Amino acid sequence: PPNDLAHQSSAPSHAQRGAAMHTLLQYLPNIAFDERVTIGRRWLAARRYRTADAEPMLDEVFGVLDDPAFAALLAPGSMAEVPVMGTIMVAGEERGVSGVIDRLAITGDIVTVLDYKTARSVPQTTAPTTAITQMALYGALLAPLYPGKSLHTLVLYTAAPKIITVTPEQRADALAALAKL
């Protein structure tokens, strides 16, 4: 039966696990608090996740959703899975950029871009170069759309859960490195 998590198929790949967690983080913040666990389990069961795989995933997701430190990023009005596309100037050349921002929150004069990382290893202090470059590209696309607002770029590692800030200096350095490619 599709709702019996104990009798499901093999363990998900890292990509399947990450995609499922992103979907749960996309939709569960909009679900009534007392229904989230049941809906999360049902959703995973419908996709044939075993209990042994589903429960740790839900623990991670709820570690984020239930943490007051992340409440403003997941509050009503924040946007999930926001597609972005445009061009940016790199070393005097236009370069096309497209992607999907995991979470975008605009509060007052602050625009926050949040990217989820569902890998089980969590960096101690600095996000990897690929994540910094990703945030630099998103920042370069969004900055002209929100003049006068402060842009914050964050990488959230769900396994901890832990946020690592990608600073404006790191974003600028990443774009400068792209110019050399």
Side-chain angles (χ1 to χ4, degrees), residues 52-121:
D53 300 312
E55 290 304 317
M57 290 168 60
L58 289 170
D59 288 346
E60 261 185 61
V61 166
F62 288 109
V64 171
L65 296 180
D66 297 342
D67 190 324
F70 309 128
L73 298 170
L74 302 166
S78 66
M79 297 169 277
E81 300 298 317
V82 178
V84 292
M85 180 184 293
T87 57
I88 62 170
M89 295 299 289
V90 177
E93 291 183 28
E94 277 191 354
R95 294 203 187 172
V97 177
S98 66
V100 178
I101 296 172
D102 292 338
R103 202 85 187 180
L104 181 65
I106 303 164
T107 52
D109 62 349
I110 298 172
V111 175
T112 304
V113 176
L114 179 68
D115 189 69
Y116 303 123
K117 298 298 182 197
T118 58
R120 292 193 171 113
S121 62

Side-chain angles (χ1 to χ4, degrees), residues 11-25 43-44 49 52-61 117-121 158-159:
S13 69
H14 293 294
Q16 290 169 326
R17 179 182 180 279
M21 290 184 61
H22 273 75
T23 300
L24 291 167
L25 288 164
W43 188 86
L44 289 169
Y49 283 88
D53 300 312
E55 290 304 317
M57 290 168 60
L58 289 170
D59 288 346
E60 261 185 61
V61 166
K117 298 298 182 197
T118 58
R120 292 193 171 113
S121 62
T158 61

